[in-house]
């Protein structure tokens, strides 16, 4: 092989390594990038190439109409000229990400230029307008060079899972809507454009996108899909990515849950919402519990014992961003079931002699507003065993259970919650 041929193949090898290797790694295997989530009922709408003084305000109006949130990957050069739009995007609760300072392919730039002159420069411009520095990045055309995944480590690189090709006018509203309707699924990251000024795009293309998106957002609401920011989708998806050991543990626990329900003949209050299950049993506590309305439950009295459905609790935990949000959802769901519980205890012969509703739980904050009285468990072996059991249950059913057990451990104390049958009647039977 001649010197010229060696030089040619060396240059070819460098070009392939600099361009095609990262393309295969990111676009095919999603190495080092985020392109699709796993969160249930959530979809991330993303808009590139703006902000545009003609179309971005119309898009923001449309998103506000549908109470939708989105992520805007903006060009730093446009952000400089349209500071008011950047401020509006930020103030209306949308996420702002980086799409380079100019719409130039990373393949055509040196890696340190991509970082300093494109990403960092744009981030500084946006931070000067909003006070918040973006840390999410999408390269023009989704193209990265070999060094970007190293030099851009401080940014989360985002690609997409749905690309309806809305940058061309000839696609029209009808075809664009059909593509979006067929592609939008739970966890999708949708690539759209609120500007038609970049190379290869048609200037009026965003008008067709806006017309189609209006109808698509209506359909998404009907299908129970929520448009969210990319960071929200990423956070929810991270909670759903459980390790092998945790998945095996969850499956084993849910098998035990099904056996427990059958063994103790627990019955769901509402078949359509299995969050709460009941069984009639004798109260076995040595110390009587005095409820806020004067009713007293003593040893041997019948109570309707509550049990949270652990599979429902697990699903709620996957979709909750924090333990506080999980507790809030539980209180809301329980509140909707309280009238049915009250009716059940007052009309079903099986509950004729029960004195009230009773349970032991670590998720007791907020139960007082539902009418429950909250008591400490009497110190002793039963209290210690119950605490151990419920802490292990939290570890199993909560995606971040291990972390949660290390935080605010003093708040993870099981409590008795109880409400009398008479109080249920007063509060929940019209």
């Amino acid at each position: 092989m001649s010197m010229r041929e060696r030089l040619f193949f060396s240059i070819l090898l460098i070009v392939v390594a600099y361009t095609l290797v990262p393309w295969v790694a990111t676009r095919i295997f999603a190495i080092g990038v985020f392109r699709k989530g796993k969160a249930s009922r959530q979809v991330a709408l993303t808009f590139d190439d703006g902000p545009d003084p003609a179309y971005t305000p119309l898009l923001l109006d449309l998103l506000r109409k549908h109470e939708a949130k989105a992520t805007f990957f903006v060009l730093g050069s446009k952000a400089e000229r349209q500071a008011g739009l950047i401020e509006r995007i930020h103030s209306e609760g949308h996420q702002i990400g980086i799409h380079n300072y100019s719409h130039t392919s990373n393949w055509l730039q040196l890696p340190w230029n991509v970082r300093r002159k494109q990403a960092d420069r744009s981030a500084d411009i946006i931070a000067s307008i909003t006070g918040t520095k973006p840390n999410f990045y999408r390269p023009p055309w989704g193209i990265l060079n070999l060094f970007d995944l190293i030099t851009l480590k401080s940014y989360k690189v985002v690609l997409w899972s749905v690309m309806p090709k809305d940058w061309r006018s000839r696609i029209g509203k009808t075809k664009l809507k059909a593509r979006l309707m067929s592609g939008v699924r739970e966890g999708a990251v949708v690539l759209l454009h609120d500007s038609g000024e970049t190379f290869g795009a048609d200037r009026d293309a965003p008008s067709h996108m806006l017309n189609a998106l209006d109808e698509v957002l209506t359909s998404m609401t009907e299908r129970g899909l929520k448009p969210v920011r990319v960071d929200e989708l990423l956070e929810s998806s991270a909670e759903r990515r459980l390790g092998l050991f945790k998945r095996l543990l969850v499956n084993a626990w849910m098998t035990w849950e099904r056996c427990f329900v059958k063994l103790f003949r627990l019955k769901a209050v509402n078949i359509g919402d299995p969050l709460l299950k009941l069984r009639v049993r004798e109260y076995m506590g040595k110390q009587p519990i005095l409820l806020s309305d004067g009713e007293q439950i003593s040893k041997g009295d019948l109570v309707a014992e509550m049990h949270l459905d652990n599979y429902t609790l697990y699903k709620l935990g996957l979709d909750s961003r924090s333990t506080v949000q999980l507790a809030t959802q539980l209180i809301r769901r329980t509140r909707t079931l309280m009238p049915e519980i009250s009716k059940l205890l007052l009309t079903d012969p099986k509950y004729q002699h029960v004195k009230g509703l009773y349970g032991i739980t670590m998720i007791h904050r907020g139960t007082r507003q539902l009418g429950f009285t909250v008591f400490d468990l009497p110190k002793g072996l039963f209290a210690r065993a119950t605490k151990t059991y419920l802490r292990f249950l939290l570890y199993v059913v909560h995606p971040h259970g291990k972390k949660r057990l290390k935080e605010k451990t003093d708040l993870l104390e099981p409590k008795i919650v109880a409400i009398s049958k008479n109080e249920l009647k007063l509060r929940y039977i019209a």
Side-chain angles (χ1 to χ4, degrees):
M1 184 181 293
S2 68
M3 182 66 70
R4 181 177 295 180
E5 288 174 329
R6 289 197 193 97
L7 179 60
F8 171 77
F9 282 110
S10 297
I11 293 173
L12 180 62
L13 184 62
I14 292 172
V15 170
V16 168
Y18 195 71
T19 59
L20 296 185
V21 169
W23 190 90
V24 171
T26 57
R27 298 289 288 274
I28 297 178
F29 298 105
I31 296 173
V33 301
F34 178 69
R35 66 182 186 186
K36 186 177 182 181
K38 296 183 179 180
S40 63
R41 301 187 299 279
Q42 293 184 348
V43 173
L45 297 177
T46 67
F47 300 91
D48 289 7
D49 300 351
D52 184 279
Y55 294 114
T56 303
L58 298 176
L59 174 58
L60 290 170
D61 291 342
L62 180 62
L63 293 173
R64 181 191 293 170
K65 170 187 171 182
H66 291 276
E67 298 182 347
K69 295 297 182 229
T71 298
F72 290 77
F73 289 100
V74 304
L75 295 170
S77 58
K78 290 188 175 183
E80 278 183 318
R81 301 193 300 269
Q82 303 294 333
L85 277 177
I86 293 294
E87 191 171 2
R88 181 182 170 187
I89 293 170
H90 177 72
S91 65
E92 294 186 7
H94 303 291
Q95 182 186 9
I96 299 177
I98 302 301
H99 197 47
N100 277 0
Y101 182 81
S102 61
H103 203 279
T104 305
S105 171
N106 290 14
W107 283 359
L108 304 177
Q109 302 180 72
L110 297 173
W112 47 87
N113 283 347
V114 172
R115 172 64 188 266
R116 293 199 310 264
K117 296 183 178 181
Q118 298 288 347
D120 287 352
R121 182 182 180 186
S122 299
D124 290 340
I125 290 169
I126 292 163
S128 69
I129 300 170
T130 66
T132 302
K133 192 169 185 176
N135 57 0
F136 281 62
Y137 173 81
R138 173 178 286 163
W141 295 289
I143 293 173
L144 295 166
N145 65 53
L146 183 62
F147 297 96
D148 283 342
L149 293 179
I150 299 173
T151 60
L152 297 174
K153 274 290 187 180
S154 59
Y155 296 92
K156 181 65 182 178
V157 180
V158 180
L159 298 183
W160 56 83
S161 61
V162 178
M163 183 177 65
K165 300 181 179 179
D166 65 319
W167 57 85
R168 288 296 181 91
S169 296
R170 65 170 177 260
I171 188 175
K173 169 191 168 182
T174 303
K175 187 179 290 186
L176 180 57
K177 177 186 172 183
R179 289 182 180 181
L180 285 169
M181 294 288 284
S182 64
V184 171
R185 296 287 185 271
E186 292 183 344
V189 178
V190 184
L191 169 62
L192 295 167
H193 300 79
D194 58 328
S195 176
E197 293 183 336
T198 52
F199 177 76
D202 295 325
R203 184 67 186 89
D204 64 339
S207 63
H208 302 290
M209 181 275 293
L210 290 169
N211 290 331
L213 184 61
D214 191 11
E215 296 183 13
V216 170
L217 284 169
T218 299
S219 174
M220 287 174 61
T221 301
E222 294 171 350
R223 292 162 60 191
L225 295 175
K226 181 181 179 182
V228 299
R229 299 157 43 127
V230 169
D231 56 349
E232 293 175 322
L233 179 63
L234 183 62
E235 184 177 1
S236 298
S237 300
E239 292 175 351
R240 299 176 70 88
R241 291 196 292 269
L242 304 178
L244 176 61
F245 174 75
K246 187 68 176 282
R247 292 200 302 271
L248 291 174
L249 186 60
V250 168
N251 289 334
W253 190 269
M254 295 309 163
T255 300
W256 156 244
E257 168 84 1
R258 290 190 290 271
C259 294
F260 182 87
V261 168
K262 290 184 178 181
L263 181 65
F264 291 96
R265 299 181 180 179
L266 301 180
K267 298 296 181 182
V269 173
N270 183 319
I271 296 176
D273 183 357
L275 175 66
L276 288 176
K277 293 182 170 67
L278 302 178
R279 67 163 176 158
V280 176
R281 58 161 293 183
E282 291 184 359
Y283 173 66
M284 301 302 294
K286 294 181 180 179
Q287 299 177 6
I289 54 177
L290 182 64
L291 305 181
S292 57
D293 64 347
E295 179 70 89
Q296 179 173 289
I297 298 177
S298 304
K299 184 176 182 179
D301 288 338
L302 291 180
V303 292
E305 186 178 65
M306 294 183 298
H307 291 267
L308 286 169
D309 180 74
N310 289 328
Y311 184 71
T312 303
L313 187 61
Y314 170 69
K315 295 289 285 184
L316 286 174
L318 288 176
D319 293 331
S320 300
R321 292 192 295 273
S322 67
T323 305
V324 172
Q325 188 184 43
L326 173 60
T328 301
Q329 290 191 68
L330 285 174
I331 291 298
R332 288 175 180 170
R333 292 274 291 270
T334 302
R335 181 182 284 112
T336 63
L337 291 172
M338 291 303 285
E340 294 186 60
I341 295 174
S342 180
K343 183 179 179 181
L344 196 63
L345 266 61
L346 292 168
T347 60
D348 192 321
K350 184 170 62 175
Y351 300 96
Q352 180 179 357
H353 300 293
V354 304
K355 282 197 169 183
L357 195 61
Y358 166 92
I360 299 175
T361 179
M362 285 196 298
I363 308 174
H364 45 75
R365 283 179 292 177
T367 55
R368 286 187 175 88
Q369 61 186 277
L370 300 179
F372 286 91
T373 307
V374 181
F375 304 90
D376 291 330
L377 276 172
K379 296 185 182 300
L381 179 61
F382 176 76
R384 292 194 296 272
T386 301
K387 181 176 180 178
T388 300
Y389 170 79
L390 290 178
R391 284 171 64 86
F392 180 71
L393 176 60
L394 177 64
Y395 169 75
V396 173
V397 302
H398 197 285
H400 293 319
K402 185 176 181 180
K403 178 181 177 182
R404 184 70 183 94
L405 289 174
K406 295 178 180 179
E407 298 174 347
K408 300 180 180 179
T409 55
D410 56 316
L411 299 179
L412 298 178
E413 291 291 335
K415 305 274 187 180
I416 296 171
V417 296
I419 183 173
S420 70
K421 184 188 289 188
N422 188 56
E423 185 71 19
L424 281 168
K425 180 180 178 181
L426 292 174
R427 281 178 173 263
Y428 299 104
I429 297 296

